[in-house]
mmCIF file of all heavy atoms in Angstrom:
data_model
loop_
_atom_site.group_PDB
_atom_site.id
_atom_site.type_symbol
_atom_site.label_atom_id
_atom_site.label_comp_id
_atom_site.label_asym_id
_atom_site.label_seq_id
_atom_site.Cartn_x
_atom_site.Cartn_y
_atom_site.Cartn_z
ATOM 1 N N ALA J 1 9.562 -8.814 -13.671
ATOM 2 C CA ALA J 1 10.238 -8.663 -12.387
ATOM 3 C C ALA J 1 9.860 -7.358 -11.703
ATOM 4 O O ALA J 1 9.525 -7.336 -10.515
ATOM 5 C CB ALA J 1 11.758 -8.735 -12.586
ATOM 6 N N ILE J 2 9.898 -6.255 -12.436
ATOM 7 C CA ILE J 2 9.605 -4.974 -11.788
ATOM 8 C C ILE J 2 8.125 -4.844 -11.462
ATOM 9 O O ILE J 2 7.750 -4.210 -10.479
ATOM 10 C CB ILE J 2 10.087 -3.778 -12.635
ATOM 11 C CG1 ILE J 2 10.125 -2.516 -11.764
ATOM 12 C CG2 ILE J 2 9.197 -3.567 -13.860
ATOM 13 C CD1 ILE J 2 10.822 -1.348 -12.403
ATOM 14 N N SER J 3 7.259 -5.474 -12.250
ATOM 15 C CA SER J 3 5.826 -5.419 -11.942
ATOM 16 C C SER J 3 5.522 -6.149 -10.643
ATOM 17 O O SER J 3 4.820 -5.641 -9.767
ATOM 18 C CB SER J 3 5.011 -6.031 -13.086
ATOM 19 O OG SER J 3 5.161 -5.280 -14.261
ATOM 20 N N LEU J 4 6.073 -7.355 -10.499
ATOM 21 C CA LEU J 4 5.857 -8.099 -9.265
ATOM 22 C C LEU J 4 6.580 -7.432 -8.104
ATOM 23 O O LEU J 4 6.085 -7.405 -6.976
ATOM 24 C CB LEU J 4 6.340 -9.538 -9.429
ATOM 25 C CG LEU J 4 6.021 -10.486 -8.264
ATOM 26 C CD1 LEU J 4 4.523 -10.460 -7.965
ATOM 27 C CD2 LEU J 4 6.459 -11.898 -8.589
ATOM 28 N N ARG J 5 7.739 -6.867 -8.374
ATOM 29 C CA ARG J 5 8.489 -6.151 -7.330
ATOM 30 C C ARG J 5 7.672 -4.974 -6.805
ATOM 31 O O ARG J 5 7.840 -4.553 -5.666
ATOM 32 C CB ARG J 5 9.808 -5.677 -7.924
ATOM 33 C CG ARG J 5 10.766 -5.014 -6.973
ATOM 34 C CD ARG J 5 11.294 -5.996 -5.936
ATOM 35 N NE ARG J 5 12.581 -5.606 -5.428
ATOM 36 C CZ ARG J 5 12.830 -4.516 -4.713
ATOM 37 N NH1 ARG J 5 11.841 -3.702 -4.414
ATOM 38 N NH2 ARG J 5 14.044 -4.251 -4.286
ATOM 39 N N ASN J 6 6.768 -4.461 -7.649
ATOM 40 C CA ASN J 6 5.936 -3.334 -7.238
ATOM 41 C C ASN J 6 4.871 -3.714 -6.224
ATOM 42 O O ASN J 6 4.132 -2.853 -5.747
ATOM 43 C CB ASN J 6 5.269 -2.684 -8.461
ATOM 44 C CG ASN J 6 6.159 -1.640 -9.093
ATOM 45 O OD1 ASN J 6 7.180 -1.258 -8.529
ATOM 46 N ND2 ASN J 6 5.782 -1.167 -10.264
ATOM 47 N N SER J 7 4.770 -5.001 -5.894
ATOM 48 C CA SER J 7 3.913 -5.374 -4.768
ATOM 49 C C SER J 7 4.428 -4.739 -3.485
ATOM 50 O O SER J 7 3.707 -4.667 -2.479
ATOM 51 C CB SER J 7 3.859 -6.892 -4.624
ATOM 52 O OG SER J 7 5.152 -7.423 -4.357
ATOM 53 N N SER J 8 5.668 -4.253 -3.509
ATOM 54 C CA SER J 8 6.211 -3.548 -2.355
ATOM 55 C C SER J 8 5.399 -2.293 -2.048
ATOM 56 O O SER J 8 5.405 -1.809 -0.910
ATOM 57 C CB SER J 8 7.681 -3.170 -2.601
ATOM 58 O OG SER J 8 7.805 -2.361 -3.756
ATOM 59 N N ILE J 9 4.702 -1.747 -3.060
ATOM 60 C CA ILE J 9 3.831 -0.597 -2.820
ATOM 61 C C ILE J 9 2.734 -0.975 -1.841
ATOM 62 O O ILE J 9 2.382 -0.214 -0.936
ATOM 63 C CB ILE J 9 3.221 -0.090 -4.147
ATOM 64 C CG1 ILE J 9 4.320 0.358 -5.105
ATOM 65 C CG2 ILE J 9 2.240 1.042 -3.895
ATOM 66 C CD1 ILE J 9 3.816 0.674 -6.493
ATOM 67 N N PHE J 10 2.180 -2.187 -2.012
ATOM 68 C CA PHE J 10 1.157 -2.677 -1.099
ATOM 69 C C PHE J 10 1.706 -2.774 0.319
ATOM 70 O O PHE J 10 1.072 -2.346 1.287
ATOM 71 C CB PHE J 10 0.670 -4.052 -1.572
ATOM 72 C CG PHE J 10 -0.308 -4.723 -0.645
ATOM 73 C CD1 PHE J 10 -1.620 -4.301 -0.574
ATOM 74 C CD2 PHE J 10 0.108 -5.765 0.165
ATOM 75 C CE1 PHE J 10 -2.517 -4.924 0.290
ATOM 76 C CE2 PHE J 10 -0.775 -6.389 1.023
ATOM 77 C CZ PHE J 10 -2.095 -5.960 1.085
ATOM 78 N N PHE J 11 2.916 -3.303 0.451
ATOM 79 C CA PHE J 11 3.531 -3.418 1.775
ATOM 80 C C PHE J 11 3.850 -2.033 2.345
ATOM 81 O O PHE J 11 3.738 -1.813 3.559
ATOM 82 C CB PHE J 11 4.813 -4.248 1.691
ATOM 83 C CG PHE J 11 4.582 -5.672 1.257
ATOM 84 C CD1 PHE J 11 5.252 -6.200 0.165
ATOM 85 C CD2 PHE J 11 3.686 -6.483 1.928
ATOM 86 C CE1 PHE J 11 5.044 -7.508 -0.239
ATOM 87 C CE2 PHE J 11 3.460 -7.802 1.533
ATOM 88 C CZ PHE J 11 4.147 -8.311 0.445
ATOM 89 N N ALA J 12 4.262 -1.102 1.462
ATOM 90 C CA ALA J 12 4.572 0.255 1.924
ATOM 91 C C ALA J 12 3.344 0.933 2.515
ATOM 92 O O ALA J 12 3.443 1.678 3.499
ATOM 93 C CB ALA J 12 5.131 1.097 0.765
ATOM 94 N N VAL J 13 2.177 0.666 1.920
ATOM 95 C CA VAL J 13 0.942 1.233 2.457
ATOM 96 C C VAL J 13 0.658 0.668 3.847
ATOM 97 O O VAL J 13 0.252 1.397 4.765
ATOM 98 C CB VAL J 13 -0.244 0.946 1.514
ATOM 99 C CG1 VAL J 13 -1.566 1.333 2.165
ATOM 100 C CG2 VAL J 13 -0.065 1.711 0.222
ATOM 101 N N LEU J 14 0.886 -0.621 4.036
ATOM 102 C CA LEU J 14 0.699 -1.220 5.359
ATOM 103 C C LEU J 14 1.634 -0.577 6.377
ATOM 104 O O LEU J 14 1.223 -0.239 7.490
ATOM 105 C CB LEU J 14 0.961 -2.727 5.293
ATOM 106 C CG LEU J 14 -0.007 -3.567 4.450
ATOM 107 C CD1 LEU J 14 0.395 -5.036 4.507
ATOM 108 C CD2 LEU J 14 -1.439 -3.408 4.947
ATOM 109 N N PHE J 15 2.887 -0.388 5.973
ATOM 110 C CA PHE J 15 3.849 0.231 6.887
ATOM 111 C C PHE J 15 3.484 1.689 7.170
ATOM 112 O O PHE J 15 3.803 2.216 8.237
ATOM 113 C CB PHE J 15 5.266 0.147 6.309
ATOM 114 C CG PHE J 15 5.848 -1.240 6.325
ATOM 115 C CD1 PHE J 15 6.393 -1.793 5.168
ATOM 116 C CD2 PHE J 15 5.856 -1.998 7.482
ATOM 117 C CE1 PHE J 15 6.922 -3.075 5.177
ATOM 118 C CE2 PHE J 15 6.386 -3.281 7.498
ATOM 119 C CZ PHE J 15 6.928 -3.821 6.346
ATOM 120 N N SER J 16 2.851 2.353 6.203
ATOM 121 C CA SER J 16 2.500 3.763 6.398
ATOM 122 C C SER J 16 1.510 3.947 7.537
ATOM 123 O O SER J 16 1.471 4.996 8.182
ATOM 124 C CB SER J 16 1.931 4.356 5.096
ATOM 125 O OG SER J 16 0.635 3.852 4.829
ATOM 126 N N PHE J 17 0.685 2.911 7.795
ATOM 127 C CA PHE J 17 -0.226 2.986 8.936
ATOM 128 C C PHE J 17 0.549 3.047 10.248
ATOM 129 O O PHE J 17 0.161 3.751 11.181
ATOM 130 C CB PHE J 17 -1.182 1.790 8.940
ATOM 131 C CG PHE J 17 -2.277 1.892 7.926
ATOM 132 C CD1 PHE J 17 -2.259 1.099 6.786
ATOM 133 C CD2 PHE J 17 -3.325 2.778 8.082
ATOM 134 C CE1 PHE J 17 -3.270 1.192 5.840
ATOM 135 C CE2 PHE J 17 -4.338 2.883 7.139
ATOM 136 C CZ PHE J 17 -4.305 2.082 6.011
ATOM 137 N N PHE J 18 1.651 2.301 10.305
ATOM 138 C CA PHE J 18 2.472 2.325 11.512
ATOM 139 C C PHE J 18 3.171 3.677 11.674
ATOM 140 O O PHE J 18 3.523 4.069 12.790
ATOM 141 C CB PHE J 18 3.508 1.204 11.470
ATOM 142 C CG PHE J 18 2.911 -0.172 11.544
ATOM 143 C CD1 PHE J 18 2.748 -0.936 10.400
ATOM 144 C CD2 PHE J 18 2.493 -0.697 12.763
ATOM 145 C CE1 PHE J 18 2.200 -2.216 10.471
ATOM 146 C CE2 PHE J 18 1.940 -1.971 12.840
ATOM 147 C CZ PHE J 18 1.780 -2.723 11.691
ATOM 148 N N LEU J 19 3.392 4.367 10.557
ATOM 149 C CA LEU J 19 3.976 5.705 10.608
ATOM 150 C C LEU J 19 2.912 6.782 10.822
ATOM 151 O O LEU J 19 3.212 7.961 10.831
ATOM 152 C CB LEU J 19 4.736 5.994 9.302
ATOM 153 C CG LEU J 19 5.960 5.105 9.027
ATOM 154 C CD1 LEU J 19 6.544 5.416 7.650
ATOM 155 C CD2 LEU J 19 7.012 5.293 10.105
ATOM 156 N N ARG J 20 1.651 6.344 10.963
ATOM 157 C CA ARG J 20 0.509 7.230 11.216
ATOM 158 C C ARG J 20 0.292 8.232 10.090
ATOM 159 O O ARG J 20 -0.050 9.403 10.315
ATOM 160 C CB ARG J 20 0.683 7.967 12.553
ATOM 161 C CG ARG J 20 0.723 7.022 13.748
ATOM 162 C CD ARG J 20 0.873 7.782 15.054
ATOM 163 N NE ARG J 20 0.891 6.852 16.194
ATOM 164 C CZ ARG J 20 1.015 7.218 17.462
ATOM 165 N NH1 ARG J 20 1.146 8.511 17.758
ATOM 166 N NH2 ARG J 20 1.030 6.322 18.418
ATOM 167 N N GLU J 21 0.518 7.776 8.863
ATOM 168 C CA GLU J 21 0.232 8.607 7.696
ATOM 169 C C GLU J 21 -1.210 8.383 7.272
ATOM 170 O O GLU J 21 -1.706 7.252 7.312
ATOM 171 C CB GLU J 21 1.181 8.263 6.545
ATOM 172 C CG GLU J 21 2.628 8.573 6.845
ATOM 173 C CD GLU J 21 3.536 8.223 5.685
ATOM 174 O OE1 GLU J 21 3.087 7.545 4.755
ATOM 175 O OE2 GLU J 21 4.704 8.618 5.724
ATOM 176 N N SER J 22 -1.864 9.443 6.871
ATOM 177 C CA SER J 22 -3.271 9.341 6.477
ATOM 178 C C SER J 22 -3.373 9.024 4.992
ATOM 179 O O SER J 22 -2.685 9.623 4.162
ATOM 180 C CB SER J 22 -3.998 10.653 6.770
ATOM 181 O OG SER J 22 -3.406 11.721 6.068
ATOM 182 N N LEU J 23 -4.235 8.056 4.656
ATOM 183 C CA LEU J 23 -4.500 7.697 3.269
ATOM 184 C C LEU J 23 -6.003 7.767 3.022
ATOM 185 O O LEU J 23 -6.799 7.436 3.897
ATOM 186 C CB LEU J 23 -3.999 6.281 2.974
ATOM 187 C CG LEU J 23 -2.482 6.059 2.969
ATOM 188 C CD1 LEU J 23 -2.177 4.579 2.860
ATOM 189 C CD2 LEU J 23 -1.835 6.817 1.830
ATOM 190 N N SER J 24 -6.361 8.203 1.827
ATOM 191 C CA SER J 24 -7.775 8.281 1.487
ATOM 192 C C SER J 24 -8.311 6.883 1.201
ATOM 193 O O SER J 24 -7.554 5.926 1.009
ATOM 194 C CB SER J 24 -7.973 9.173 0.257
ATOM 195 O OG SER J 24 -7.404 8.562 -0.893
ATOM 196 N N ARG J 25 -9.634 6.761 1.154
ATOM 197 C CA ARG J 25 -10.250 5.479 0.835
ATOM 198 C C ARG J 25 -9.838 5.026 -0.563
ATOM 199 O O ARG J 25 -9.621 3.833 -0.800
ATOM 200 C CB ARG J 25 -11.769 5.614 0.919
ATOM 201 C CG ARG J 25 -12.518 4.306 0.702
ATOM 202 C CD ARG J 25 -14.008 4.503 0.873
ATOM 203 N NE ARG J 25 -14.322 5.012 2.204
ATOM 204 C CZ ARG J 25 -15.552 5.373 2.587
ATOM 205 N NH1 ARG J 25 -16.568 5.272 1.729
ATOM 206 N NH2 ARG J 25 -15.758 5.816 3.803
ATOM 207 N N LEU J 26 -9.710 5.991 -1.480
ATOM 208 C CA LEU J 26 -9.304 5.666 -2.846
ATOM 209 C C LEU J 26 -7.899 5.086 -2.876
ATOM 210 O O LEU J 26 -7.611 4.137 -3.622
ATOM 211 C CB LEU J 26 -9.371 6.930 -3.715
ATOM 212 C CG LEU J 26 -9.368 6.733 -5.236
ATOM 213 C CD1 LEU J 26 -10.618 5.974 -5.668
ATOM 214 C CD2 LEU J 26 -9.308 8.092 -5.929
ATOM 215 N N GLN J 27 -7.014 5.617 -2.059
ATOM 216 C CA GLN J 27 -5.646 5.127 -2.015
ATOM 217 C C GLN J 27 -5.572 3.721 -1.400
ATOM 218 O O GLN J 27 -4.770 2.891 -1.827
ATOM 219 C CB GLN J 27 -4.774 6.104 -1.229
ATOM 220 C CG GLN J 27 -4.541 7.419 -1.981
ATOM 221 C CD GLN J 27 -3.828 8.442 -1.122
ATOM 222 O OE1 GLN J 27 -4.227 8.712 0.003
ATOM 223 N NE2 GLN J 27 -2.760 9.017 -1.654
ATOM 224 N N ILE J 28 -6.406 3.455 -0.410
ATOM 225 C CA ILE J 28 -6.445 2.126 0.188
ATOM 226 C C ILE J 28 -6.930 1.095 -0.836
ATOM 227 O O ILE J 28 -6.395 -0.013 -0.939
ATOM 228 C CB ILE J 28 -7.354 2.122 1.432
ATOM 229 C CG1 ILE J 28 -6.729 2.994 2.526
ATOM 230 C CG2 ILE J 28 -7.556 0.697 1.950
ATOM 231 C CD1 ILE J 28 -7.614 3.190 3.733
ATOM 232 N N ILE J 29 -7.956 1.483 -1.624
ATOM 233 C CA ILE J 29 -8.439 0.608 -2.693
ATOM 234 C C ILE J 29 -7.317 0.342 -3.695
ATOM 235 O O ILE J 29 -7.137 -0.779 -4.183
ATOM 236 C CB ILE J 29 -9.660 1.232 -3.396
ATOM 237 C CG1 ILE J 29 -10.852 1.287 -2.428
ATOM 238 C CG2 ILE J 29 -10.028 0.436 -4.653
ATOM 239 C CD1 ILE J 29 -12.040 2.044 -2.969
ATOM 240 N N GLY J 30 -6.551 1.388 -3.996
ATOM 241 C CA GLY J 30 -5.423 1.233 -4.911
ATOM 242 C C GLY J 30 -4.414 0.226 -4.407
ATOM 243 O O GLY J 30 -3.886 -0.588 -5.176
ATOM 244 N N ALA J 31 -4.144 0.233 -3.102
ATOM 245 C CA ALA J 31 -3.206 -0.728 -2.516
ATOM 246 C C ALA J 31 -3.719 -2.149 -2.651
ATOM 247 O O ALA J 31 -2.964 -3.085 -2.945
ATOM 248 C CB ALA J 31 -2.966 -0.384 -1.049
ATOM 249 N N LEU J 32 -5.027 -2.337 -2.443
ATOM 250 C CA LEU J 32 -5.617 -3.664 -2.574
ATOM 251 C C LEU J 32 -5.547 -4.160 -4.016
ATOM 252 O O LEU J 32 -5.296 -5.345 -4.274
ATOM 253 C CB LEU J 32 -7.067 -3.641 -2.087
ATOM 254 C CG LEU J 32 -7.262 -3.374 -0.590
ATOM 255 C CD1 LEU J 32 -8.747 -3.245 -0.262
ATOM 256 C CD2 LEU J 32 -6.620 -4.464 0.246
ATOM 257 N N ILE J 33 -5.765 -3.250 -4.972
ATOM 258 C CA ILE J 33 -5.673 -3.615 -6.389
ATOM 259 C C ILE J 33 -4.246 -4.041 -6.732
ATOM 260 O O ILE J 33 -4.032 -4.996 -7.494
ATOM 261 C CB ILE J 33 -6.123 -2.436 -7.286
ATOM 262 C CG1 ILE J 33 -7.625 -2.184 -7.098
ATOM 263 C CG2 ILE J 33 -5.811 -2.722 -8.755
ATOM 264 C CD1 ILE J 33 -8.133 -0.965 -7.831
ATOM 265 N N ILE J 34 -3.259 -3.357 -6.163
ATOM 266 C CA ILE J 34 -1.863 -3.735 -6.379
ATOM 267 C C ILE J 34 -1.610 -5.143 -5.846
ATOM 268 O O ILE J 34 -0.905 -5.946 -6.469
ATOM 269 C CB ILE J 34 -0.918 -2.720 -5.700
ATOM 270 C CG1 ILE J 34 -0.967 -1.394 -6.464
ATOM 271 C CG2 ILE J 34 0.511 -3.251 -5.646
ATOM 272 C CD1 ILE J 34 -0.258 -0.267 -5.753
ATOM 273 N N GLY J 35 -2.203 -5.451 -4.696
ATOM 274 C CA GLY J 35 -2.062 -6.803 -4.147
ATOM 275 C C GLY J 35 -2.621 -7.853 -5.087
ATOM 276 O O GLY J 35 -2.018 -8.908 -5.292
ATOM 277 N N VAL J 36 -3.788 -7.568 -5.699
ATOM 278 C CA VAL J 36 -4.383 -8.493 -6.669
ATOM 279 C C VAL J 36 -3.470 -8.625 -7.887
ATOM 280 O O VAL J 36 -3.260 -9.725 -8.411
ATOM 281 C CB VAL J 36 -5.779 -8.005 -7.096
ATOM 282 C CG1 VAL J 36 -6.329 -8.864 -8.230
ATOM 283 C CG2 VAL J 36 -6.735 -8.041 -5.906
#
């Protein structure tokens, strides 16, 4: 449950773009891996 619930990290990264927060390329890759 908590592992799948952690897909919220992927969504949080998407929302962070709307908040104009800067993320490195490595962090974006990390978000995609979480989605997988």
Side-chain angles (χ1 to χ4, degrees):
I2 196 169
S3 296
L4 187 54
R5 185 67 154 65
N6 273 350
S7 62
S8 58
I9 299 172
F10 175 75
F11 297 125
V13 171
L14 295 180
F15 288 129
S16 72
F17 284 107
F18 293 100
L19 296 175
R20 297 181 179 180
E21 295 180 348
S22 59
L23 291 172
S24 67
R25 184 177 301 175
L26 197 64
Q27 289 173 309
I28 294 173
I29 293 173
L32 294 175
I33 293 174
I34 290 170
V36 173

